Structures are given as structure tokens and as C-alpha cells.
Amino acid sequence: MQDKALYSAVQRSDEKALSTLFDKYFQDLCFYSFQIIKSKELSEEVVADVFIKIWNNRGKAVVLNLKNYLYKSVKNGSLQAIKDIKPRLCVDDSYRELHLLTIDIESHIMEKESLEHVIGIINKMPVQRRTVFELNRINGLKYKEIAEVMNISVRTVQNQMIKAVQFMHENFSENSASL
Amino acid sequence: MDNKFRELATKYFSNETSSEEVHLLVDFLQSSDLYQKWFDELAHQWSLTGKLSHSNFNTVKTKAKIAEAIAISQKKNTVKKLIFRVAAMLILVLGIGGSINFFAFPSDHWVEYSTKSNQNMKVVLPDNSIVWLNSSSTFSYSFSDKSVRKIRLDGEAFFDVKRNTTRPFTIQTNHLFTQVLGTSFNIDSKEEQVSVISGKVAVTNKSNHTVLVEKGEQVNHNKTSEKLSKIIIPNIINTIAWKDQVFVFDDITIKEALKHLGKTYSVNFTYSNNNIEKCKIRASFNNKSLKNILNIMCTSIGCTYIINKENKEIKIFGKGC
């Protein structure tokens, strides 16, 4: 079902529709929040609060572009969370391993080394470039959507993507002898 | 590398090119082999990044939190909602992905989990028993009956059951019915096989033939004779290697060892020479990659191997023993 139909069902107090939307976006939104907060628990909380807010405001507010709204709310919520907890914020120990995982069991075996290498390269990218690249490649957002969420121009998104691909190519080839 | 070419290739990979840009890219590729080579390298790296994910966030815990907030905001604590909230708080899922019917409970109170072909999942049940679900498997549980813990399974799973002598834990698969009080064991419903890692379980088939299976033993169901047969498996821990990639090979033949590796990593092994199968090995591996394990094994028995990625076949070469 499309987001629009699901959202209007939520406005009619359909809990199941909220649940479906949650299933569709939860992991990707947490991942995005995690890039900002660097804490697994807090990112889950931020995302939960966004869905609770959508539910509680279902009679009062109308959201036009749901995906955009979700990402933006998660971004704002994450930034607010950082402000609130800054004095005690420390980077999660599990940060590196939690950050990216290989999903495909076959490639996990055959290409484990190459994939670990790729994760290492992505982790070395400057923050904005990495966020753009991951939003496109892992979360599946279009350039235009990334631009809206991150408040940057489509041109900047495109440039960062080109640089990310270049960065990957340079670092990958450098060590390709060992692969 | 040319800037324009890099831009076109990047846009092409992320599906942002116009048709004119695709034409331009093709022109580049046709103009020189070097562009073709770069393009192939970029495409390979791009496809590698497509195999990354991040699903490691706790869906059920967060869902329970939202459900509770919603229930409170509605101030209508119907019985259904109360049950729902209690259940929501009791269940904790640690595995990745899968589909969980949660917000809307089925009327007969079965909760179902399933995995795709490339996933494993760990589920902690309300009684603190733990289930590891192998790929392409489905399992569901119903704990609404106070005298018995009911499980249905299609596929393969490892169970670590919390002991409760007054409330047996039962697993129904297509042909087998397994009953336990508290123990750990593996069930593969495709092979119709139950392997016991610790404790004791009772397995019954449809013609009411029951056998008691103890630690280190495996029971197999023969479809044609409708009989259950019990065998002792040395190093039975290897039957659950799919769960955490731990292998213990205690003086067993290469043939046996590769059987376990093949099953865990979904690959087939062939030999250049049947004598290789007879070599014996004593080694243990904890969460190593397949290549790593093969390198070590080959060093000890003097063999080499070639991986054929397309049909997932690995051929072993060597003199043998």
C-alpha cells in the first residue's frame, strides 16, 4: 500500500496502518538517526517519538509528503537529543560494528574480506559525504529527497556522490593487490 | 579519470541519469577500453556496497513502546489492549528483519516469525527460551495454554529451552512431534531430523512411534518405513554450526568435515581424487570465513582448492591420504 493511503488510514485511527508504516521505515530511520546520535538506544527512542507524534496529531495535522516528514522529524529529533544529552554523550562502543553489516550470507563468505574493506572505506569518508552516500545507497533515497532532508542543494548531493564513488575507487584500487 | 565520465557513471549507478546522459556514457565506453575498465571497477565496487545493510535496531521493543504510548493516550484500556501491552513487554527480539505480526494479534494468539533465504534470526520467547531460526524457515508459538508451550516449525531451528517440569515445550513439524522439559536441540524439518545438544527429548512420528533422544544423538525419520532411527553423532555441535559458525573437528574425515562446511555455507565440494576424502583432521574454528578455514585445512593435509562462484562449487585438489 502507498504511504498516502496508509497515512489517511492512520488519520482514521487505524493502528494497523501505523504498524505497517513503522515496519516500512523503522530500520532506515534508526540508521539515519544513529549517524547523528551514535547511540543505538537513543536513535530507537527518537524514531519511536516521531511515530507517537504522528499518531497523537492524527486529527490535528496533515502531512503532505510522509517520507520527507519522517526523515526531517528524525533529523530534528536527533539533533535535539544531542543537545539534551551532550554533557554525557560518548560514542557507543559498538559503533563500528553496528554501523554497517553485510546482509547476504553468500557474499558474507565469498567476499567477506572485500566487504569489510568497503565498510572501512565508507567509514573513512568525511561526514557529509558519507551521510549522502549512505542515504542513497543504503536507505535508497533519491538525490532530490536527500537534498530536502539534509537542507542542501541537489547539486551538492550529486557532487558528494561523485566524490564518494571516486573515494571508493581510489582507496579500493590502492589495496586491491591484497584482495 | 575524466570528471565528466565519473559524474555520468555515478548518476547512472544511482539511477539519476536522463536518456541523453546514458547516450553520453555509452559514447565514453565505446571510445576507449580504459573507460570500460574503469566502469567495470566502479560497477563492482558499487555492487559491493549494495550488499551492506544496517538492520540491527530493536523493532519489537520500540513497537511495544509505541503501542504503550498509544494505549495510554486513548485512555480506553480494554482487555485486549492490556493483554497486548503485557505481551509486548514480554517479548524481545534480537534477530534481524523477518516479519512479525505484532500490532494486530491473531485471534488464536499464535505469534509467527519467518526468515528470508539470507537471514538468521534469534528470538527470545516469553518464558526466556531462545530460538535461533535458520534461513528460509518459519516458526510460530502459542503460550496461551497454561499447561503446555506450543511451537510450530517449518524449516530449521535450534532451541535452548528453559526448564519447566509442569509445562512441557512441544514442537510440531510436518511429520514429527517433539516434546521436552528443558534442554537444547536442533530440528531440521526438511531433513526430518532432531539433534540433541544437551538434555533429553521425546520424538514421535505420525504412526505413533516414539523414541527418547539423548545428548549427542540424532533421530531421523524415514518417510517410507514410517520409522524413527537413532544414531550417535560425534561432535554433534557441528549440526548447529549454521547458528554461530563454530566447528569442532575432532579427528574426523575431510568428507565429514566438508559436509558440515557445505551445509553451513551453502556450497558443494568436489574432489579431484577420492583419496582426499579419507584424510583426517583435528581442528576447531570459531567464526572464521570459509576461505580462512579451507586455507588452514589445506595447509594441514596438503591440498589446494578452486572456488567456482557461479554454481557455488569448491573443487579440492591433492594427493590425499
Side-chain angles (χ1 to χ4, degrees):
Chain A
M1 219 193 299
Q2 294 299 310
D3 288 358
K4 243 187 181 157
L6 285 168
Y7 181 66
S8 26
V10 169
Q11 290 191 301
R12 294 191 304 271
S13 300
D14 182 344
E15 281 183 36
K16 216 168 167 213
L18 186 76
S19 171
T20 309
L21 280 174
F22 176 89
D23 286 337
K24 185 172 171 190
Y25 286 110
F26 175 69
Q27 295 289 345
D28 279 347
L29 290 172
C30 282
F31 179 58
Y32 179 50
S33 172
F34 185 81
Q35 290 168 327
I36 302 168
I37 312 184
K38 314 235 188 299
S39 156
K40 190 171 173 271
E41 274 72 32
L42 276 174
S43 56
E44 287 165 358
E45 267 177 46
V46 165
V47 175
D49 288 344
V50 169
F51 280 92
I52 292 168
K53 203 173 134 201
I54 288 184
W55 181 262
N56 290 340
N57 290 341
R58 67 191 184 281
K60 300 169 219 158
V62 180
V63 174
L64 294 175
N65 183 336
L66 188 78
K67 191 174 180 182
N68 196 337
Y69 173 83
L70 285 171
Y71 273 92
K72 275 195 167 168
S73 307
V74 165
K75 180 187 167 189
N76 293 336
S78 307
L79 292 173
Q80 189 58 47
I82 288 188
K83 267 192 214 157
D84 294 346
I85 49 138
K86 205 160 198 176
R88 60 187 173 91
L89 180 72
C90 57
V91 175
D92 208 318
D93 280 345
S94 55
Y95 177 50
R96 286 188 73 81
E97 58 207 276
L98 213 151
H99 192 109
L100 287 170
L101 299 166
T102 59
I103 38 171
D104 171 348
I105 287 182
E106 285 145 31
S107 59
H108 183 70
I109 295 126
M110 295 298 191
E111 293 166 329
K112 196 175 178 191
E113 287 85 358
S114 319
L115 284 170
E116 276 166 7
H117 187 48
V118 166
I119 291 174
I121 296 170
I122 295 174
N123 281 335
K124 270 192 276 172
M125 289 182 191
V127 178
Q128 192 191 46
R129 188 176 309 163
R130 198 176 76 193
T131 309
V132 168
F133 183 73
E134 288 176 345
L135 280 176
N136 177 265
R137 196 63 184 123
I138 317 276
N139 290 19
L141 264 57
K142 308 287 293 174
Y143 287 5
K144 193 166 160 275
E145 291 171 329
I146 299 172
E148 278 165 11
V149 168
M150 292 182 70
N151 250 337
I152 52 180
S153 68
V154 175
R155 188 82 216 166
T156 309
V157 172
Q158 187 185 308
N159 286 339
Q160 290 292 13
M161 282 301 292
I162 296 167
K163 282 184 182 155
V165 169
Q166 179 185 1
F167 189 84
M168 184 84 70
H169 189 244
E170 283 163 0
N171 284 276
F172 203 89
S173 315
E174 210 172 85
N175 292 311
S176 60
S178 67
L179 291 168
Chain B
M1 200 186 295
D2 195 293
N3 281 337
K4 187 68 193 168
F5 172 72
R6 214 190 326 258
E7 178 189 328
L8 289 171
T10 306
K11 284 172 95 174
Y12 179 75
F13 293 138
S14 43
N15 227 344
E16 300 269 351
T17 31
S18 64
S19 57
E20 287 142 41
E21 287 172 323
V22 174
H23 280 295
L24 265 176
L25 181 64
V26 172
D27 288 344
F28 266 110
L29 293 176
Q30 285 171 343
S31 69
S32 142
D33 285 348
L34 189 59
Y35 283 123
Q36 188 65 54
K37 179 178 166 277
W38 280 337
F39 186 80
D40 290 345
E41 286 169 7
L42 295 177
H44 172 64
Q45 289 152 18
W46 183 267
S47 79
L48 276 178
T49 59
K51 287 173 181 162
L52 301 176
S53 180
H54 55 77
S55 0
N56 214 337
F57 298 93
N58 198 325
T59 309
V60 170
K61 199 176 106 195
T62 313
K63 245 186 178 179
K65 199 190 152 189
I66 296 173
E68 200 180 356
I70 288 174
I72 289 168
S73 80
Q74 286 176 332
K75 290 173 195 141
K76 282 188 292 180
N77 273 330
T78 61
V79 175
K80 185 190 160 202
K81 284 219 172 67
L82 189 66
I83 291 169
F84 169 61
R85 276 169 58 195
V86 170
M89 283 180 273
L90 284 172
I91 303 164
L92 184 67
V93 178
L94 297 166
I96 54 165
S99 59
I100 304 156
N101 188 348
F102 207 84
F103 265 59
F105 266 117
S107 54
D108 57 348
H109 291 254
W110 282 90
V111 182
E112 186 178 286
Y113 296 81
S114 55
T115 49
K116 296 179 190 153
S117 63
N118 54 9
Q119 299 183 313
N120 284 1
M121 185 194 274
K122 177 182 173 186
V123 182
V124 180
L125 300 181
D127 66 340
N128 278 330
S129 294
I130 303 170
V131 182
W132 280 267
L133 199 58
N134 203 349
S135 50
S136 308
S137 300
T138 301
F139 113 101
S140 48
Y141 72 86
S142 166
F143 282 11
S144 39
D145 188 334
K146 288 282 155 280
S147 63
V148 62
R149 297 171 276 176
K150 285 190 249 176
I151 306 283
R152 290 178 193 149
L153 172 70
D154 182 19
E156 182 168 17
F158 171 73
F159 296 88
D160 190 353
V161 177
K162 202 93 190 157
R163 193 169 177 85
N164 184 343
T165 45
T166 58
R167 201 177 175 204
F169 192 97
T170 62
I171 301 109
Q172 181 72 57
T173 61
N174 221 347
H175 292 273
L176 301 178
F177 180 76
T178 308
Q179 178 166 344
V180 303
L181 299 174
T183 173
S184 64
F185 55 97
N186 192 72
I187 296 187
D188 186 341
S189 79
K190 284 166 220 148
E191 303 281 334
E192 301 188 38
Q193 207 172 62
V194 180
S195 318
V196 179
I197 312 299
S198 73
K200 206 187 279 183
V201 311
V203 180
T204 308
N205 67 5
K206 285 194 171 154
S207 46
N208 255 338
H209 179 208
T210 299
V211 291
L212 264 183
V213 196
E214 295 191 47
K215 182 183 172 187
E217 295 176 337
Q218 182 178 78
V219 66
N220 287 277
H221 173 66
N222 186 322
K223 262 189 219 164
T224 36
S225 68
E226 285 279 312
K227 283 261 158 63
L228 294 169
S229 56
K230 202 161 74 170
I231 47 171
I232 292 172
I233 305 277
N235 309 135
I236 197 149
I237 191 85
N238 295 321
T239 55
I240 55 163
W242 60 265
K243 175 168 85 67
D244 36 27
Q245 279 92 49
V246 173
F247 297 92
V248 179
F249 300 142
D250 190 7
D251 208 23
I252 61 172
T253 60
I254 289 293
K255 189 183 175 183
E256 274 293 309
L258 293 185
K259 205 174 82 190
H260 290 302
L261 289 176
K263 192 183 167 222
T264 303
Y265 294 114
S266 323
V267 291
N268 279 322
F269 289 96
T270 54
Y271 307 89
S272 68
N273 165 355
N274 286 339
N275 281 333
I276 304 170
E277 291 188 358
K278 294 176 196 152
C279 296
K280 288 206 168 174
I281 181 154
R282 189 189 287 265
S284 62
F285 302 99
N286 193 341
N287 201 9
K288 294 272 191 298
S289 75
L290 180 59
K291 272 187 188 169
N292 210 316
I293 296 176
L294 287 177
N295 288 343
I296 294 169
M297 282 176 58
C298 274
T299 315
S300 71
I301 63 162
C303 65
T304 55
Y305 64 94
I306 290 178
I307 297 176
N308 182 339
K309 283 192 189 181
E310 260 161 42
N311 51 14
K312 288 196 243 154
E313 197 176 272
I314 300 177
K315 188 162 187 181
I316 313 275
F317 296 89
K319 274 195 225 134
C321 307

